[in-house]
Amino acid sequence: PLRRVDAHGSACRHHNWLRTRRGARACRRRRSVRPQRAVVQCGPIRQLRKVESDPEAVDIINGYVKKGWLSEYGTLEELATAVGGPPALNKFACIVKTKADGTTKRRIITDAKQSCVTAASRKQYRAVLPRATDLITDMLALTAAVQPGEGVEAFVCDAEDAFWQIPLHRDERRFYCAVLRQPDGRSRYLAYNRTAQGSRGAPLSWVVIFGLISRCALGTLMVPDMRGRVAGSSSPHRLQVYVDDPILAVRGTQAFI
């Protein structure tokens, strides 16, 4: 925790100091003189929409049901029997992402805040993503080791439907259910068979499994040097993974690449 040293040289904890009347006044003064930041819109525009009012989003959910990623039930009792207990009904939400070329992409997420599933769950650890400078460092290191006739190229891949590739444990299924209202007034009750995008555990589950897959894939690309040793500095391959977008940098001739 942060510490504050007063005029007498004694240290006291910052949160205890804020509890005092003097600390509260100082905190209010800092907030009042804090400069206003200009809101700058950059990158793609994202809008949150209701799924029921978006036919394209409903078609995406129907596709998930056909693939077996969601299980559909006619009544709430059937859903409770299938998941093994009273289900926590969450809401579907659709994120509409507008790309630079004007096209739109829809992403279905789960809003688990209203059902208090998000508040009841917590993360055990964090997944640290690589920085942009890590990729730049890899490219510079490979460029410095370039031999005559060689070059350096980077390849970017995308894992399609990333979070939907991870199965959801059966004991967790009753916490990730959803209801979809139809125009005729009927309700469709759905249970997740895969990790739900919008939950706290889905990102960690994905990065752990996909990180292991990426390490195994990179291990197959390692080649021994002149002495028969496999050294990271002499390897012509470098890999950085940004959630579901692996970037592979390769050094070699055009025939090798």
Side-chain angles (χ1 to χ4, degrees):
L2 299 175
R3 292 178 178 268
R4 172 183 174 271
V5 179
D6 58 15
H8 300 284
S10 61
C12 60
R13 294 185 181 275
H14 183 65
H15 64 272
N16 289 335
W17 178 71
L18 286 178
R19 290 178 181 177
T20 63
R21 186 174 301 175
R22 180 183 176 186
R25 288 198 301 267
C27 184
R28 286 196 296 268
R29 285 197 300 268
R30 291 174 186 174
R31 292 178 180 177
S32 61
V33 300
R34 184 177 299 175
Q36 297 293 331
R37 296 182 179 180
V39 179
V40 180
Q41 179 113 24
C42 58
I45 301 176
R46 296 185 178 182
Q47 299 178 357
L48 195 64
R49 297 183 180 180
K50 292 184 178 181
V51 174
E52 290 83 354
S53 59
D54 193 339
E56 296 186 19
V58 175
D59 293 338
I60 295 176
I61 294 177
N62 294 334
Y64 292 160
V65 174
K66 292 181 181 179
K67 293 179 181 179
W69 298 345
L70 295 173
S71 297
E72 183 176 354
Y73 302 93
T75 61
L76 185 61
E77 290 74 14
E78 295 178 1
L79 175 62
T81 303
V83 299
L89 296 179
N90 305 288
K91 294 190 303 182
F92 281 120
C94 178
I95 296 180
V96 181
K97 178 180 178 182
T98 303
K99 300 182 180 179
D101 57 356
T103 60
T104 58
K105 178 182 179 181
R106 285 166 171 78
R107 179 175 299 172
I108 305 298
I109 64 173
T110 302
D111 185 5
K113 292 183 179 181
Q114 188 174 2
S115 61
C116 298
V117 174
T118 301
S121 58
R122 60 188 180 94
K123 294 182 179 180
Q124 300 292 337
Y125 57 90
R126 291 182 59 189
V128 181
L129 297 178
R131 300 179 179 180
T133 54
D134 296 332
L135 177 61
I136 296 174
T137 302
D138 291 345
M139 297 292 291
L140 293 176
L142 294 176
T143 304
V146 166
Q147 302 297 324
E150 293 183 343
V152 177
E153 295 188 15
F155 303 89
V156 181
C157 303
D158 178 68
E160 186 178 2
D161 297 325
F163 291 179
W164 294 98
Q165 306 300 330
I166 309 300
L168 183 63
H169 196 277
R170 180 170 293 274
D171 295 341
E172 301 288 333
R173 289 184 61 193
R174 74 183 188 93
F175 301 107
Y176 293 101
C177 302
V179 57
L180 187 62
R181 309 294 181 184
Q182 294 183 343
D184 56 2
R186 295 183 300 173
S187 299
R188 299 172 58 186
Y189 297 96
L190 303 170
Y192 276 82
N193 298 322
R194 305 297 176 97
T195 54
Q197 186 170 1
S199 62
R200 286 189 172 180
L204 292 178
S205 301
W206 167 256
V207 298
V208 169
I209 295 178
F210 195 62
L212 177 61
I213 295 174
S214 301
R215 291 185 181 93
C216 293
L218 184 61
T220 60
L221 299 176
M222 289 292 185
V223 294
D225 58 7
M226 298 298 295
R227 299 179 182 179
R229 298 176 302 179
V230 177
S233 59
S234 62
S235 175
H237 309 89
R238 299 291 179 90
L239 180 65
Q240 300 289 348
V241 181
Y242 296 85
V243 187
D244 58 347
D245 297 318
I247 302 178
L248 177 66
V250 183
R251 172 180 60 84
T253 61
Q254 288 294 330
F256 175 77
I257 295 176

